């Protein structure tokens, strides 16, 4: 994985990024929040007085990936705040000399983001893939800050990555090109059609200056598994992609039920890991609205 060489995305990246945001429902407010680890871009939409929903994307996906979920109904029930991860493609700008290195750093970074978005109350915190790993680590350390935790096909939380998936991803990770990114996504999704505007943005991430992602152990979910009387009452929902190639979704779901017996755990058949936020947006929006299982 390449290290940061410049904090400024290219004009082509910005144009592709704005093109995806143009498809979001209603006006989108872009806000740059200061944190100890750099300035974090948050794209928000939905009623200003609605409950806050903070969404973290998977690696390389950018905050723009959440537009489909917002359009499918999430922006009717919540004030959606989609976050660009610091050090990942997007418009967040890492602080010079203070990289994110550990899950503890990520917790501190997300604390500052939540301070800027919803300082007076708990939020619904959701994430996909790597973003779900970050969200789970934060909720395990700061359960009082989150009223509801939504993990969408989380990686590294309940199960490890399959070796075949890692081997297939390595060329894209070590030397990303648009062709390698598209080839990998086509393989993992089984050729599922994805939003063309978002795919063009993913092409541009190949030339984006990125940082080495934070890695570490699985989050300690023991505090989230305690009965409500022993902790802040935090609702947890986990939705696995039935055709994910990154892990065995059935095994991961069983591990999730064992780790969090009070959580709602579902498997959505026929959906691939990387396609989940884009092609299962209606199911995710219903989940976020507290409706019946997908």
């Amino acid at each position: 994985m390449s290290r940061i060489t410049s904090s400024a995305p290219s004009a082509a990246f910005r144009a592709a990024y704005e093109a995806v945001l143009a498809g979001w429902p209603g006006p989108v407010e872009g806000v740059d929040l200061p944190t100890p680890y750099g300035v974090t871009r948050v794209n928000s939409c939905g009623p200003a007085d609605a409950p806050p929903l903070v969404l973290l994307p998977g690696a390389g996906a950018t905050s723009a990936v959440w537009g489909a979920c917002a359009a499918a109904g999430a922006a009717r029930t919540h004030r959606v705040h989609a976050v660009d991860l610091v050090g990942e493609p997007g418009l967040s700008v890492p602080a010079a000399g203070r990289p994110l290195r550990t899950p503890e750093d990520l917790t501190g970074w997300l604390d500052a983001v939540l301070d800027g978005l919803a300082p007076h109350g708990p939020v619904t915190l959701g994430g996909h893939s790597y973003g779900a790993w970050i969200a789970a680590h934060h909720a395990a350390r700061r359960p009082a800050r989150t009223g509801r935790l939504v993990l969408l096909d989380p990686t590294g939380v309940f199960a490890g990555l399959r070796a075949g998936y890692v081997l297939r991803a390595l060329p894209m990770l070590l030397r990303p090109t648009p062709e390698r990114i598209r080839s990998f996504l086509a393989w993992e999704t089984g050729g599922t059609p994805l939003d063309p505007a978002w795919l063009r943005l993913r092409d541009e991430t190949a030339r984006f200056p990125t940082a080495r992602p934070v890695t570490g152990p699985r989050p300690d979910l023991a505090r989230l598994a305690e009965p409500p009387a022993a902790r802040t009452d935090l609702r947890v929902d986990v939705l696995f992609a039935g055709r994910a190639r990154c892990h065995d979704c059935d095994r991961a779901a069983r591990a999730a039920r064992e780790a969090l017996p009070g959580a709602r755990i579902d498997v959505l058949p026929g959906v691939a890991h990387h396609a989940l936020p884009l092609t299962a947006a209606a199911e995710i929006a219903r989940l976020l609205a507290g409706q019946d299982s997908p």
Side-chain angles (χ1 to χ4, degrees):
M1 182 73 69
S2 57
R3 293 184 179 276
I4 291 175
T5 57
S6 169
S7 61
S10 68
F13 178 90
R14 284 183 173 271
Y17 184 97
E18 294 298 333
V20 181
L21 290 183
W24 282 36
V28 178
E29 180 185 9
V31 176
D32 293 320
L33 297 177
T35 79
Y37 298 93
V39 175
T40 298
R41 168 58 61 93
V42 180
N43 292 304
S44 304
C45 66
D49 58 351
L53 167 63
V54 179
L55 295 172
L56 308 181
T62 80
S63 62
V65 76
W66 296 113
C69 293
R76 291 195 296 270
T77 58
H78 292 81
R79 176 66 171 173
V80 174
H81 301 292
V83 181
D84 279 338
L85 304 178
V86 169
E88 283 280 317
L91 299 188
S92 293
V93 182
R98 191 161 186 190
L100 291 159
R101 297 187 185 279
T102 67
E104 290 76 14
D105 292 342
L106 287 169
T107 297
W109 163 74
L110 192 48
D111 275 338
V113 172
L114 296 180
D115 286 344
L117 295 175
H120 303 300
V123 303
T124 295
L125 177 62
H128 171 240
S129 190
Y130 176 53
W133 183 79
I134 297 172
H137 268 288
H138 185 273
R141 289 171 167 79
R142 306 281 196 272
R145 299 213 67 169
T146 303
R148 186 178 177 197
L149 177 66
V150 180
L151 306 178
L152 302 173
D153 213 37
T155 50
V157 177
F158 304 105
L161 295 174
R162 283 173 164 161
Y165 174 88
V166 175
L167 288 174
R168 189 73 183 232
L170 273 177
M172 176 190 67
L173 297 174
L174 294 174
R175 195 176 63 174
T177 66
E179 295 75 21
R180 288 181 174 184
I181 291 172
R182 291 220 181 193
S183 175
F184 176 77
L185 290 174
W187 168 78
E188 198 282 325
T189 65
T192 300
L194 302 176
D195 175 28
W198 182 80
L199 280 175
R200 287 193 292 274
L201 176 58
R202 284 295 276 127
D203 289 345
E204 293 301 325
T205 66
R207 292 174 280 271
F208 193 90
T210 58
R212 189 178 301 278
V214 177
T215 58
R218 297 179 189 177
D220 182 0
L221 302 178
R223 292 181 68 187
L224 304 186
E226 294 173 351
R231 61 164 174 81
T232 300
D233 192 10
L234 190 160
R235 173 180 171 182
V236 182
D237 297 272
V238 188
L239 181 62
F240 289 99
R243 286 203 298 113
R245 292 194 171 192
C246 56
H247 51 213
D248 183 322
C249 73
D250 291 328
R251 181 178 298 176
R254 287 195 299 271
R257 293 184 182 104
E258 292 174 2
L260 298 171
R264 172 177 162 180
I265 315 294
D266 289 299
V267 176
L268 188 61
V271 181
H273 175 77
H274 290 281
L276 184 63
L278 296 167
T279 62
E283 291 85 350
I284 293 170
R286 285 198 295 269
L287 175 66
L288 293 168
Q291 297 176 10
D292 291 340
S293 176

